Amino acid sequence: HGGLTAAIDGATHQATEDICNMSVLPNMHVLAPADTVSAAACVDIALATRGPVFTRLMRDPLYDMYDGSETFELGGSKTVRTGTDVTIVSYGDILFEAVKAAELLADQGIQAEVIDAYSIKPYDREAVLRSVSKTGAIVVAENNQLKNGFGYEIAHLLMRTQPIPFEALGIDDAFGESGDYYKLLDKFGISASHIAAAAERVVKAK
């Protein structure tokens, strides 16, 4: 199961490095939906795509983000919340934590834009650059190993095009473990409160 979502079953059931491993394979496409609607769409994309496609799924559905009218495409993304102060990019289950973080930040007067990067390879470079050109700061949060994860890809993009205050949150060189899902997210630093704190830091660094 993707990331720490198989929380109670522990490290033997938690794929915390699959995004890193699959993204590095030549010609591989990588998708990571957040809910049932986007998961069904990503399976359709996989069937319609020539060549191999890895679609990351969670153990259980968490919440609904999209309705059936939404469309998805390979290389696409969704801006699920607009903002002007900081960009938060995430995918899969951590997208919901990113939205919660944006709500926490709004209470502090910080308006966060949240992007669902459901297509990780290829990813929507234009959407990321368009957002950070407006906000001037970014946090990438993922339920995956931090090293060589999606955050590294975004950091590489920004270093070449638009260096700005940046933080990446992920599982930092550790195996998963058994426990309550939300407690594990907090322990590994990828819960809403950690995302909000990282966003505050990059906003201050602007």
Side-chain angles (χ1 to χ4, degrees), residues 36-107:
T36 53
V37 169
S38 56
C42 284
V43 170
D44 289 341
I45 291 171
L47 289 170
T49 299
R50 182 178 179 84
V53 181
F54 175 74
T55 302
R56 185 195 228 206
L57 299 177
M58 299 176 277
R59 172 177 172 149
D60 301 303
L62 291 173
Y63 308 100
D64 292 326
M65 178 66 70
Y66 303 109
D67 62 40
S69 65
E70 294 283 352
T71 59
F72 299 80
E73 61 182 5
L74 188 67
S77 68
K78 294 283 186 183
T79 299
V80 298
R81 184 183 177 114
T82 59
T84 56
D85 299 318
V86 61
T87 300
I88 303 174
V89 178
S90 193
Y91 59 83
D93 59 313
I94 302 303
L95 178 65
F96 299 105
E97 296 300 306
V99 171
K100 292 177 188 176
E103 294 168 354
L104 294 174
L105 291 165
D107 292 337

Side-chain angles (χ1 to χ4, degrees), residues 87-198:
T87 300
I88 303 174
V89 178
S90 193
Y91 59 83
D93 59 313
I94 302 303
L95 178 65
F96 299 105
E97 296 300 306
V99 171
K100 292 177 188 176
E103 294 168 354
L104 294 174
L105 291 165
D107 292 337
Q108 305 299 320
I110 298 173
Q111 298 304 314
E113 184 151 288
V114 180
I115 296 176
D116 176 10
Y118 64 84
S119 181
I120 292 175
K121 184 184 178 186
Y123 71 92
D124 195 346
R125 291 170 173 81
E126 291 72 23
V128 173
L129 292 175
R130 190 165 53 246
S131 180
V132 298
S133 67
K134 175 177 57 174
T135 65
I138 185 171
V139 173
V140 181
E142 56 187 320
N143 193 343
N144 185 72
Q145 291 293 330
L146 182 62
K147 186 175 180 61
N148 296 326
F150 189 56
Y152 275 39
E153 185 73 26
I154 299 299
H156 184 241
L157 171 70
L158 296 174
M159 285 296 291
R160 288 184 293 115
T161 58
Q162 192 172 342
I164 58 172
F166 168 92
E167 282 206 30
L169 303 179
I171 300 168
D172 193 4
D173 198 27
F175 292 107
E177 58 186 74
S178 298
D180 175 81
Y181 169 70
Y182 293 103
K183 290 181 179 179
L184 288 181
L185 293 189
D186 196 55
K187 176 174 182 175
F188 286 98
I190 49 178
S191 63
S193 61
H194 286 280
I195 297 171

Side-chain angles (χ1 to χ4, degrees), residues 20-41:
C20 309
N21 292 342
M22 300 308 291
S23 295
V24 78
L25 293 175
N27 302 315
M28 181 63 70
H29 306 90
V30 179
L31 304 171
D35 70 351
T36 53
V37 169
S38 56

